[in-house]
Amino acid sequence: ECIIMSNEAYSGGGIYLVAGSENLTSPEFSNCLIAKNTADFHASAVYCKGDSSALMFINCTIADNDFKWNNGRSVIYSVFGPKILLVNTILSNNSLNEIFIDEDYPGSVTIGYSTIDGGLAVITGNTSLVTWLSGNLEMDPLFSDSIQSNYGLSPNSQAIDAGTALFELEGRRIVDYSADHYVGAAPDMGAYEMSFVYPGDTDNNGVVDAFDVLPIGIYFLESTVQR
């Protein structure tokens, strides 16, 4: 639940991660917003280097990251074999490519139940180790008002209820949400779980119908005055 926003760097505008052979670095970002960061060259948002790095983004939103100059590479830059995992995550409206994997020293990128605005076409470089799992969307997630830094989802976003409550990889349970962790049929993609209030929806199920009116009817003409 962190906000990493409006930072500047030569590389890795929001996050700069380098792990050598002797130090294992495996951060996990959950329900985080990484937006409006800028870099001069590599990775306007996330720079990840080293084969002992394992970087996870779970229910994160990575959007509107940009480059100071026109010679940048991508929003996420992977070099020298890191492992990157994205689940229930949104990448959208970032400058140039969403993910670049170094051609000579590639790392693995695994994506599941996430919205990548542009799909596989915006993942470039050596894509031989990209694993595109089920549940992914290739579209604009329709933020409420990204100009005003409101990265919640608008009511007609297809990313609502499109995430997963259970995700396992290589024998490890990465996501395991109980039903009270989210609203609706499934978790939303991105950093913010949306809950909309509709006028007249007294039972809060997203539909205004007779079941909202009938419970009120039993109190018709009743007085609150105690006699």
Side-chain angles (χ1 to χ4, degrees):
E1 297 183 358
C2 295
I3 297 176
I4 302 173
M5 182 181 288
S6 301
N7 301 284
E8 298 181 11
Y10 175 77
S11 294
I15 298 169
Y16 186 88
L17 173 68
V18 176
S21 58
E22 297 180 357
N23 60 313
L24 177 66
T25 305
S26 304
E28 300 178 14
F29 292 87
S30 177
N31 294 100
C32 292
L33 172 65
I34 305 169
K36 298 183 178 179
N37 301 288
T38 59
D40 292 346
F41 189 41
H42 291 315
S44 57
V46 181
Y47 182 89
C48 188
K49 176 181 178 181
D51 57 9
S52 58
S53 297
L55 181 61
M56 293 187 187
F57 293 99
I58 312 298
N59 274 107
C60 291
T61 296
I62 304 173
D64 291 331
N65 298 282
D66 202 354
F67 288 97
K68 189 174 181 180
W69 315 111
N70 292 325
N71 60 343
R73 292 302 278 272
S74 65
V75 60
I76 297 177
Y77 186 93
S78 167
V79 62
F80 285 106
K83 297 179 180 180
I84 299 175
L85 172 65
L86 295 91
V87 181
N88 292 349
T89 289
I90 294 174
L91 270 68
S92 179
N93 201 37
N94 298 289
S95 293
L96 303 177
N97 300 301
E98 297 290 349
I99 301 173
F100 178 83
I101 305 167
D102 190 85
E103 291 96 335
D104 298 321
Y105 305 99
S108 66
V109 177
T110 303
I111 304 169
Y113 294 92
S114 296
T115 294
I116 310 298
D117 194 354
L120 285 169
V122 295
I123 302 175
T124 59
N126 188 337
T127 59
S128 61
L129 297 178
V130 173
T131 303
W132 185 264
L133 300 175
S134 61
N136 293 320
L137 302 177
E138 307 176 19
M139 47 171 282
D140 184 342
L142 300 180
F143 296 123
S144 293
D145 190 354
S146 59
I147 295 177
Q148 298 299 321
S149 300
N150 180 355
Y151 288 94
L153 300 174
S154 61
N156 54 340
S157 171
Q158 293 186 36
I160 294 174
D161 289 354
T164 181
L166 181 63
F167 183 87
E168 295 182 350
L169 184 67
E170 298 177 350
R172 178 184 176 187
R173 185 163 292 188
I174 307 297
V175 175
D176 189 2
Y177 294 153
S178 60
D180 59 1
H181 187 92
Y182 54 89
V183 178
D188 298 340
M189 295 177 178
Y192 302 105
E193 181 72 23
M194 306 311 298
S195 178
F196 302 103
V197 177
Y198 300 93
D201 184 15
T202 59
D203 58 6
N204 195 34
N205 67 350
V207 179
V208 178
D209 56 18
F211 293 102
D212 297 302
V213 179
L214 292 175
I216 300 174
I218 65 175
Y219 299 104
F220 185 64
L221 294 180
E222 289 287 331
S223 173
T224 60
V225 178
Q226 299 297 319
R227 298 184 185 277

